Amino acid sequence: MFKEVSIMDNESLPPELEEMLSKVRLKEPPKEAMADYLSGVNAKIDRGPVGTNFGFPQVGILLLVGLAFAFGIIYLFGLNPKKEPIQLIPQVQSERINPPAPELVTGQTAVVSQTPQPASGELSLEDQMALLETFGEETGSTTIEFFGNDELLDEVALLDSVEFSAFEGVQTSTAAV
Amino acid sequence: METVALSDEALIAKARQGDRDAFGTLVTRYQAQAILVAQSVLRNLELAKDASQNAFAKAYFGLGRFREEAKFKTWLFRIVVNEAKDVYRKEKARGLFQFWSAPASTEEETESILEVIPSGGESPRDAYETKEVRGRLEGAIYSLPERERDVFILRYLNGLAISEVAETLGMAAGTVKAHLAQGTTKLKSILLARNVQGGEYHG
C-alpha cells in the first residue's frame, strides 16, 4: 500500500539513519478500526458542514469575558464606594409636604406663581439664574414696548392696581371665613 | 459504472455533481494514508481516525474550492494535517483543564506510530534490538522542532516526494529541503547523544 522509504531527489541521508529507517515503517491501523470508517465519514457529511470551531480555548475565553463582565456589574452596583444613593422617594415626599407657596409681592411674581414651580432644592444656582434672566428679559421687552406711550403705561399701572386690590379683597374675605 | 477503476480527477468530477459513491471510492483509496498522516501528528489511533474522518467531510464540502491543477492527495493531506493539529491543540487545552487527573494519562494516550518491518530469520536478540532502535528513533523524531518533524515524517515515513510534502504543508520545495537537512542533522546528533548502539547507529 505504501511506498517503501526510498531516498529521492537530491537530499542525502546518513547511511546509518537510512538503515534504521529501512527497518521501521508507520504502524498501519488494525482492520477492525477501518471497518466502519466510510460510514463514519458519511455520517459526518450527513451532519452537514461545521460552521464554527468552538472548542476549549473558545469556552475558556468566553468564561473569562463573562467573569470580567459579571465582576464589573457587581462592582458598579454593589461594591462601588463612591456611589451616591438615589433619593427619588424622599424628594417626592418633600414636594408633597411643602408645596411651593405663592409670593404675591408684585404683578410680576403673580405671573411666575401660575407656572408650576419646582422645589427650591431641585434647581441648581445656574438654573435659577437662567430662570431669572428669562423672566427679566420678558419683562424688560414688554416694558420697552410701552416706553414713549404714557397713556398706555398709565393704563397698565391702573390694571395692576385693580388686580392687586381685588386679590387683597379675596384674601381678607378668606381670612374672615 | 464501477468507480474503483476511475482516476482521482474523474471521481472528483462525479463527487462534485453529488455522487456520494464516487467520493466514497476516494475515501477508501486514501483512508489508510490519511489516518497515518493524522496519527503522526496526534500519536493516538482513535483521535487520528476521528480527525481524518473530519478532514474527509471537510474535503467533501470543499470540493468546489479544489483547483484542478492540484493533486487531490496532497490537498486532502493538507486538510488532514490542519485538522489533526487542531485536534492536538484542543486536546492540549483540555489537558490543561484536567490538571487534577493523573499525570501518567498523557503517556498512556500517546501511542507508538512506528512498527518494525518483520524479516525472516531474525534472532530474538536482533528482534529486541530492532525494537529498541525503533523506540529511540521515534523519541528522537518527536524531539525535533515541529516543522522539521512534519517534513521528516511526511518525507521518510509517509514516503511523499519533496514536491508533495511542499504542497501538503504549504511551503516552497526549497524550504522543505532546508528543513529536511536541518532535521536530519539534528536527528543524527540526538541519536549520537543518546548513544544508540547495537550495530544500528554508530554515527
Side-chain angles (χ1 to χ4, degrees):
Chain A
M1 186 190 305
F2 298 105
K3 285 186 271 182
E4 288 298 321
V5 175
S6 60
I7 310 308
M8 293 179 287
D9 299 320
N10 295 323
E11 87 264 20
S12 60
L13 203 63
E16 295 85 358
L17 195 56
E18 195 176 346
E19 193 188 335
M20 284 174 78
L21 285 170
S22 69
K23 290 185 177 175
V24 295
R25 66 183 174 198
L26 285 172
K27 194 190 281 180
E28 289 183 29
K31 282 185 179 171
E32 58 267 25
M34 305 300 292
D36 58 342
Y37 190 86
L38 183 58
S39 58
V41 174
N42 284 329
K44 284 174 192 285
I45 290 171
D46 291 336
R47 220 177 291 159
V50 182
T52 52
N53 197 354
F54 204 81
F56 272 93
Q58 286 80 7
V59 169
I61 289 165
L62 202 67
L63 205 68
L64 286 175
V65 170
L67 278 173
F69 192 68
F71 181 76
I73 287 173
I74 290 166
Y75 180 77
L76 276 174
F77 292 100
L79 300 172
N80 187 1
K82 291 178 182 175
K83 72 166 187 178
E84 292 177 3
I86 303 165
Q87 294 180 340
L88 279 175
I89 295 167
Q91 273 190 2
V92 171
Q93 281 176 346
S94 68
E95 276 184 22
R96 282 178 183 170
I97 292 162
N98 302 315
E103 290 178 10
L104 300 174
V105 179
T106 61
Q108 184 186 331
T109 51
V111 174
V112 174
S113 65
Q114 287 174 2
T115 59
Q117 271 196 328
S120 59
E122 204 174 326
L123 289 175
S124 67
L125 189 61
E126 287 82 4
D127 292 337
Q128 285 179 5
M129 289 297 289
L131 197 64
L132 286 171
E133 277 172 18
T134 309
F135 281 104
E137 276 176 21
E138 280 179 5
T139 315
S141 63
T142 50
T143 314
I144 285 163
E145 280 174 16
F146 299 150
F147 280 166
N149 192 341
D150 293 334
E151 286 180 12
L152 201 60
L153 272 173
D154 288 337
E155 279 180 20
V156 169
L158 183 68
L159 281 169
D160 279 347
S161 64
V162 167
E163 276 182 15
F164 187 62
S165 60
F167 183 74
E168 271 185 332
V170 170
Q171 266 197 324
T172 48
S173 63
T174 314
V177 170
Chain B
M1 185 182 166
E2 189 64 41
T3 55
V4 179
L6 293 175
S7 67
D8 285 0
E9 291 75 20
L11 290 170
I12 289 163
K14 279 175 166 283
R16 273 179 173 161
Q17 291 166 356
D19 189 338
R20 290 280 287 272
D21 288 339
F23 189 75
T25 307
L26 281 170
V27 173
T28 312
R29 194 172 286 178
Y30 292 111
Q31 60 185 20
Q33 280 179 285
I35 286 183
L36 290 185
V37 169
Q39 205 177 351
S40 63
V41 175
L42 292 163
R43 300 174 81 181
N44 180 295
L45 177 64
E46 280 307 310
L47 289 176
K49 190 180 164 188
D50 192 53
S52 59
Q53 283 176 327
N54 283 339
F56 272 114
K58 282 186 176 177
Y60 179 79
F61 292 117
L63 276 177
R65 294 191 301 273
F66 174 68
R67 291 176 291 111
E68 296 290 342
E69 63 267 22
K71 263 186 176 180
F72 177 75
K73 185 171 88 169
T74 52
W75 181 70
L76 172 72
F77 285 178
R78 191 169 182 168
I79 299 171
V80 172
V81 168
N82 289 337
E83 186 66 26
K85 286 188 175 178
D86 201 29
V87 170
Y88 179 77
R89 277 192 291 271
K90 280 179 191 169
E91 287 298 309
K92 213 174 174 181
R94 198 165 67 94
L96 286 176
F97 281 100
Q98 290 178 337
F99 53 87
W100 58 85
S101 65
S105 61
T106 49
E107 282 298 315
E108 285 167 12
E109 284 170 8
T110 305
E111 298 162 2
S112 175
I113 63 157
L114 296 178
E115 64 183 359
V116 177
I117 297 170
S119 58
E122 198 175 40
S123 69
R125 181 185 165 82
D126 289 343
Y128 174 78
E129 283 176 351
T130 312
K131 268 193 168 181
E132 281 282 306
V133 167
R134 185 209 66 187
R136 290 182 185 190
L137 179 65
E138 191 170 337
I141 289 170
Y142 278 94
S143 61
L144 288 174
E146 187 183 342
R147 279 288 184 193
E148 291 164 14
R149 184 181 65 225
D150 290 346
V151 165
F152 190 90
I153 290 173
L154 286 174
R155 173 73 188 92
Y156 294 121
L157 297 175
N158 285 102
L160 299 185
I162 286 194
S163 59
E164 290 176 331
V165 176
E167 275 182 41
T168 301
L169 297 177
M171 53 174 75
T175 314
V176 171
K177 283 181 184 175
H179 281 311
L180 268 181
Q182 284 174 354
T184 307
T185 309
K186 281 181 191 170
L187 201 62
K188 190 178 168 183
S189 61
I190 290 166
L191 287 169
L192 274 174
R194 291 182 184 182
N195 195 20
V196 178
Q197 295 295 326
E200 298 299 331
Y201 197 93
H202 299 286

